[in-house]
Amino acid sequence: MRTPKVPLEKFELRRAELGEATLQTLAALGYARTSLREIAQNSAFSHGVLHYYFQDKTDLILCSVRQYKARCVTRYDAIVTEAQDAAALQQAFLATLGDTLRDEAMLHRLWYDLRAQAMFEAAFRADVAKIDKSLEKMVWNVVARLAALAGTQGPLPSPALAYAALDGVFQQALLRHLAGDRKAIATMQQETAALLRLLLPALAAAPAG
Amino acid sequence: MRTPKVPLEKFELRRAELGEATLQTLAALGYARTSLREIAQNSAFSHGVLHYYFQDKTDLILCSVRQYKARCVTRYDAIVTEAQDAAALQQAFLATLGDTLRDEAMLHRLWYDLRAQAMFEAAFRADVAKIDKSLEKMVWNVVARLAALAGTQGPLPSPALAYAALDGVFQQALLRHLAGDRKAIATMQQETAALLRLLLPALAAAPAG
Amino acid sequence: MRTPKVPLEKFELRRAELGEATLQTLAALGYARTSLREIAQNSAFSHGVLHYYFQDKTDLILCSVRQYKARCVTRYDAIVTEAQDAAALQQAFLATLGDTLRDEAMLHRLWYDLRAQAMFEAAFRADVAKIDKSLEKMVWNVVARLAALAGTQGPLPSPALAYAALDGVFQQALLRHLAGDRKAIATMQQETAALLRLLLPALAAAPAG
Amino acid sequence: MRTPKVPLEKFELRRAELGEATLQTLAALGYARTSLREIAQNSAFSHGVLHYYFQDKTDLILCSVRQYKARCVTRYDAIVTEAQDAAALQQAFLATLGDTLRDEAMLHRLWYDLRAQAMFEAAFRADVAKIDKSLEKMVWNVVARLAALAGTQGPLPSPALAYAALDGVFQQALLRHLAGDRKAIATMQQETAALLRLLLPALAAAPAG
DNA sequence: CATGAATGAGCCTTCATTCAT
DNA sequence: CATGAATGAAGGCTCATTCAT
């Protein structure tokens, strides 16, 4: 009871804090342009501290990437739980996707950047794959619930296919949004709606309001 | 503004040659890890000459990216022209997709890398967007022809949606392929087939062999 | 000037303990590659405590060097006391030299390292000189006793010369031993015997068994 | 004939130039305190150049060490050739040893430093061993010639023993000289003379003038 | 034209040292 | 007393870029 925090817990807290600064810097500059000095300047600490809490740059980036995951993965849980019918769920989903695109564009471009880096650097692969799997699960939560609410009878698409296709649409939208396209969000929502109708034909019968 | 005293044709030839070396190096190492020295070493020229033919590193990379486009964009023209029926076209498409994934994985991971860089560096955006548009057109060539051969009656998906969804599937497959998944290609082909059936329901009636 | 509130005895005990850890680390890595962190990790203490017990790195190293001296300087006392005749003393001396080379090679290379450092850093000079003097005395103990037992009549070499020459032979042997030469110890013993015969011609008359 | 120097030759020339700057810096600061930036500052170049001409720090140091050897190894050739009798040769030898100690103390302490480093760093061992062998040969040139001129009848000491013992004496003298002992050189000459008389008893009969 | 020598900023990392707790 | 968190200088090294030849 002398020490308010277990040392190890405090250590992890600081790691998380620095991981967050890393995330912000990576999101702002991209992997290729992010240096440890820049990260430290976006934190309350000197750059020497980074090597006190992390083995090396890779360790730091992986830690911050895991933080990204925790932040993303529960984003759609609430709307899945709360939605009363298919139309409402779809609408909430599209709205939240739009919010994400608008508010977290920086963070999401980082994700696509890191996923691309994982194609080159084996060190990133395991973590990136785990996050991708989590995102797939998250998307599937929505799609499966949507299917249930819409009373889908026929076969469902595989979770992998649903995620890949929806992610493809999101990625294109992000690209256009970052290029300054004002209609990127609205277009993304329309295309996502169209894609959902293809994935779950039952939705087409009861279109979203 | 360089005013080359070389005949302009030769100048462009050299640029192309160096662009090709750049492409190979980028594909092997990724944007973040590619240096001008490395590029020069993968070419027949010295390291200093790069700044004679290119303003700076960005100029060089953009040039090499444009070369990437030329290489990709006609890849599916032949099968569109030659296919006699929907089943044959789909089969040829899936086979060629598989070949691409197997034989040009390096080049394609570079594409995803550069597309991610374009989200950070405005200088890359115009070129990346143009290439993305070309790819979309290329994909649409196939999809539209497939629809025609299958005798699709109802509305077609938008070219943007078709491209985004198919690209999403390809990207996931590339990720798994590079991670060592032996079944990545086969899985990609199955998911692409499933996706095509969703995009063009008429295909489902006359499934590919 | 630190005024320790610990009993002075305990303070000195700690210094000795940390000096020992320093000695081990220096012997393992050499002066140029030894860091305070590494030293602390080879001790039972934390890295911060070093600056409580020592003014700075130099102070710590000097302390550990003095410990080295204490360890070495009595090494040949026993054989001088116990030997009954010249042949036995010489044999015991050579045997012990061999043991030293085999068992304490790490510590001895440290000595040569630190002696070289003293040529650059004035701070080391006084301590190194004192140790060198002690070693000279130690060697002379043996040589002088050997001379007495052999019944040497003529003039003796100076202690400084005897030490310098014997040390030169030892140093060469250590170098070869550390380079992996299996015969380094045996060669050293032969050369030392030859050198002793030159230093004390009386030995040649009654050669060691 | 266009280029006044063969490129490769020019490259080696620059390497030698930088090796020389390295040698000066090492001699001034010692291995543990020498940085590449410091070396560059003792040269006409920026520190980036060092990595253009040398693979890494070890490569640079090894190159400079090899230069040390070339400088040392012929130092006594002239006096061996020119000396007419044993007394003259011994006197010339002692005089040159004294000059060396006075004029090149810095360089010689570097040698002892690097020889100590070789006990820790395997990368240095081969070069250090080769130089040590050259020095032994150089010393033996003198000793053997001295023996011949003195008309030595009995067995000679091994070259290794002669070198080790003489080097031990020189090293002690260097230590004292660097510590400010004004009599270090004279003492060294006396002890060397004494050692030579022990090594070559024939010298004692015809003492040096 | 083309080379490769040279620069200097910047990168990741290590380190001795300080200091709040 | 002792810890370990934090600092900032310095280390080896890479890099895009410039420029004399």
Side-chain angles (χ1 to χ4, degrees):
Chain A
M1 279 298 181
R2 279 292 299 282
T3 46
K5 300 270 179 186
V6 185
L8 202 143
E9 190 179 341
K10 201 176 167 189
F11 189 83
E12 281 305 325
L13 228 66
R14 190 53 43 95
R15 268 177 73 96
E17 190 178 346
L18 292 169
E20 180 57 31
T22 304
L23 212 46
Q24 295 310 322
T25 311
L26 282 169
L29 303 179
Y31 173 79
R33 286 158 294 277
T34 293
S35 75
L36 291 185
R37 273 181 175 83
E38 194 74 30
I39 292 172
Q41 252 160 2
N42 284 353
S43 83
F45 302 93
S46 81
H47 78 273
V49 181
L50 292 174
H51 288 92
Y52 183 79
Y53 286 100
F54 299 93
Q55 206 147 19
D56 56 17
K57 198 186 181 185
T58 300
D59 185 21
L60 171 58
I61 288 185
L62 286 179
C63 170
S64 89
V65 162
R66 284 181 207 113
Q67 240 154 301
Y68 166 84
K69 175 192 158 171
R71 171 175 317 194
C72 281
V73 124
T74 61
R75 180 163 258 279
Y76 298 95
D77 287 2
I79 63 172
V80 167
T81 309
E82 293 164 8
Q84 304 287 355
D85 57 52
L89 178 52
Q90 177 176 331
Q91 196 178 343
F93 182 49
L94 294 179
T96 312
L97 275 178
D99 294 350
T100 302
L101 193 50
R102 189 190 324 102
D103 302 337
E104 304 194 40
M106 304 288 136
L107 221 52
H108 279 277
R109 70 178 176 180
L110 170 59
W111 166 243
Y112 292 117
D113 188 3
L114 290 177
R115 202 165 68 177
Q117 298 314 312
M119 296 188 188
F120 293 92
E121 289 222 11
F124 290 175
R125 259 169 223 165
D127 279 272
V128 160
K130 207 163 19 166
I131 294 177
D132 233 4
K133 209 67 191 164
S134 301
L135 295 173
E136 180 187 310
K137 205 173 293 177
M138 180 188 79
V139 163
W140 187 246
N141 265 352
V142 178
V143 172
R145 179 73 178 141
L146 208 46
L149 288 174
T152 295
Q153 303 281 345
L156 294 178
S158 76
L161 175 57
Y163 171 56
L166 286 164
D167 185 58
V169 170
F170 188 86
Q171 203 174 333
Q172 285 289 332
L174 180 58
L175 210 44
R176 284 194 298 263
H177 177 67
L178 289 166
D181 180 352
R182 293 275 172 84
K183 294 180 294 183
I185 294 177
T187 305
M188 180 269 284
Q189 290 170 323
Q190 287 163 22
E191 283 179 356
T192 302
L195 181 54
L196 287 173
R197 277 194 299 276
L198 294 175
L199 293 169
L200 306 173
L203 277 181
Chain B
M1 284 295 174
R2 285 248 171 246
T3 23
K5 283 157 197 142
V6 236
L8 217 152
E9 190 181 347
K10 192 180 171 191
F11 189 80
E12 282 305 325
L13 225 70
R14 279 281 151 85
R15 275 177 68 95
E17 200 171 343
L18 291 167
E20 181 57 31
T22 305
L23 210 48
Q24 295 311 322
T25 312
L26 283 169
L29 303 178
Y31 174 78
R33 286 159 292 278
T34 293
S35 72
L36 292 185
R37 250 195 187 78
E38 195 74 31
I39 291 172
Q41 254 159 3
N42 285 354
S43 82
F45 297 92
S46 88
H47 153 239
V49 88
L50 290 175
H51 281 87
Y52 180 79
Y53 287 102
F54 300 92
Q55 204 153 14
D56 57 14
K57 198 184 180 185
T58 301
D59 186 21
L60 171 58
I61 289 184
L62 285 178
C63 169
S64 90
V65 163
R66 284 184 209 112
Q67 241 153 304
Y68 168 84
K69 175 190 158 172
R71 171 176 318 195
C72 282
V73 125
T74 59
R75 179 163 259 278
Y76 298 95
D77 288 1
I79 63 171
V80 166
T81 309
E82 293 164 7
Q84 305 287 353
D85 57 49
L89 177 52
Q90 176 175 333
Q91 196 176 342
F93 181 49
L94 294 180
T96 313
L97 275 177
D99 293 349
T100 303
L101 192 50
R102 190 193 320 103
D103 302 336
E104 304 194 38
M106 303 289 136
L107 218 53
H108 279 276
R109 69 178 177 181
L110 170 60
W111 166 243
Y112 291 117
D113 189 3
L114 291 176
R115 203 165 68 178
Q117 298 314 313
M119 296 188 188
F120 293 93
E121 289 222 11
F124 290 174
R125 260 168 224 165
D127 280 275
V128 161
K130 207 163 15 165
I131 295 177
D132 235 3
K133 207 67 191 166
S134 302
L135 295 173
E136 181 188 308
K137 204 172 295 177
M138 177 187 79
V139 164
W140 186 247
N141 265 352
V142 178
V143 173
R145 177 75 178 140
L146 207 47
L149 288 173
T152 296
Q153 304 282 343
L156 294 179
S158 76
L161 175 56
Y163 171 54
L166 285 166
D167 185 58
V169 169
F170 188 84
Q171 202 174 334
Q172 285 290 331
L174 179 58
L175 210 44
R176 284 194 297 264
H177 178 66
L178 289 167
D181 180 353
R182 292 275 174 86
K183 293 180 297 183
I185 293 177
T187 305
M188 181 269 283
Q189 291 170 324
Q190 289 163 20
E191 283 179 358
T192 301
L195 181 55
L196 287 173
R197 278 193 300 273
L198 293 175
L199 292 169
L200 306 173
L203 277 181
Chain C
M1 282 296 172
R2 285 252 169 246
T3 23
K5 279 152 198 147
V6 237
L8 217 150
E9 190 182 347
K10 193 180 171 191
F11 188 81
E12 281 305 326
L13 225 68
R14 279 283 150 86
R15 273 177 69 95
E17 201 170 343
L18 291 167
E20 180 58 30
T22 305
L23 211 47
Q24 295 311 321
T25 312
L26 282 169
L29 303 178
Y31 174 78
R33 286 158 293 278
T34 293
S35 74
L36 292 184
R37 251 195 186 77
E38 196 74 28
I39 292 172
Q41 254 160 5
N42 285 354
S43 84
F45 298 92
S46 87
H47 152 239
V49 89
L50 289 174
H51 280 87
Y52 181 79
Y53 287 101
F54 300 91
Q55 206 152 12
D56 57 15
K57 198 183 179 184
T58 300
D59 186 22
L60 170 58
I61 288 184
L62 284 178
C63 169
S64 90
V65 163
R66 285 184 209 111
Q67 239 153 303
Y68 167 84
K69 175 191 158 174
R71 171 175 316 194
C72 281
V73 127
T74 59
R75 179 164 258 278
Y76 298 94
D77 288 1
I79 63 172
V80 166
T81 310
E82 293 164 7
Q84 304 288 353
D85 57 51
L89 177 51
Q90 176 176 335
Q91 196 177 343
F93 182 50
L94 295 179
T96 313
L97 275 177
D99 294 350
T100 303
L101 193 50
R102 190 191 320 102
D103 303 336
E104 304 193 38
M106 303 288 136
L107 220 52
H108 279 276
R109 70 178 177 181
L110 170 61
W111 167 243
Y112 292 116
D113 188 4
L114 290 176
R115 202 165 67 178
Q117 298 314 312
M119 297 189 187
F120 294 92
E121 289 222 11
F124 290 174
R125 258 168 225 164
D127 280 275
V128 161
K130 207 168 6 169
I131 295 177
D132 234 3
K133 207 69 192 166
S134 302
L135 295 173
E136 180 187 310
K137 203 173 295 176
M138 178 187 81
V139 164
W140 187 247
N141 265 352
V142 178
V143 173
R145 178 75 178 139
L146 208 47
L149 288 174
T152 294
Q153 304 281 346
L156 293 179
S158 77
L161 176 55
Y163 171 55
L166 286 165
D167 185 58
V169 170
F170 189 83
Q171 201 173 334
Q172 285 290 331
L174 180 57
L175 210 45
R176 284 195 298 263
H177 179 66
L178 289 167
D181 180 353
R182 292 275 174 85
K183 295 181 293 185
I185 294 177
T187 305
M188 181 270 284
Q189 290 170 324
Q190 289 163 21
E191 284 179 356
T192 301
L195 181 56
L196 287 173
R197 277 193 300 273
L198 293 175
L199 292 170
L200 306 173
L203 277 181
Chain D
M1 277 301 183
R2 279 294 298 281
T3 44
K5 301 271 182 188
V6 184
L8 203 143
E9 191 180 340
K10 200 176 169 190
F11 189 83
E12 281 305 325
L13 226 67
R14 189 55 42 94
R15 268 177 73 96
E17 189 178 349
L18 292 168
E20 181 56 32
T22 304
L23 212 47
Q24 294 311 321
T25 312
L26 283 169
L29 303 179
Y31 174 78
R33 286 158 294 278
T34 294
S35 74
L36 292 184
R37 274 178 176 81
E38 194 74 30
I39 291 171
Q41 252 160 4
N42 284 353
S43 83
F45 302 93
S46 81
H47 76 272
V49 180
L50 293 174
H51 289 93
Y52 184 80
Y53 287 98
F54 300 92
Q55 205 149 22
D56 55 19
K57 198 185 180 186
T58 300
D59 185 22
L60 170 58
I61 289 185
L62 286 179
C63 169
S64 89
V65 162
R66 283 182 209 113
Q67 242 155 300
Y68 167 85
K69 175 191 157 171
R71 170 174 321 191
C72 281
V73 126
T74 60
R75 180 163 260 278
Y76 298 94
D77 287 2
I79 63 172
V80 167
T81 309
E82 294 164 8
Q84 305 285 356
D85 57 51
L89 177 52
Q90 176 174 333
Q91 194 177 344
F93 182 49
L94 294 179
T96 313
L97 274 179
D99 294 350
T100 303
L101 193 49
R102 188 189 324 102
D103 303 336
E104 303 194 40
M106 303 288 136
L107 220 51
H108 279 275
R109 69 178 176 181
L110 170 60
W111 166 244
Y112 292 117
D113 188 4
L114 290 176
R115 203 166 67 176
Q117 298 315 312
M119 297 188 186
F120 293 92
E121 288 221 12
F124 291 173
R125 256 167 227 167
D127 280 272
V128 161
K130 207 162 18 165
I131 294 177
D132 234 4
K133 208 69 193 163
S134 301
L135 295 174
E136 181 187 308
K137 204 172 296 177
M138 179 187 79
V139 164
W140 187 246
N141 266 351
V142 178
V143 173
R145 178 75 179 141
L146 209 46
L149 288 174
T152 295
Q153 304 280 344
L156 295 179
S158 77
L161 175 56
Y163 171 55
L166 285 164
D167 184 58
V169 170
F170 188 85
Q171 203 174 334
Q172 286 290 330
L174 179 58
L175 210 44
R176 284 195 297 265
H177 177 67
L178 289 167
D181 180 352
R182 293 277 174 85
K183 295 180 294 183
I185 294 177
T187 306
M188 181 269 283
Q189 291 170 324
Q190 288 163 22
E191 283 179 357
T192 302
L195 182 54
L196 287 173
R197 277 193 300 274
L198 294 176
L199 292 169
L200 306 172
L203 278 180

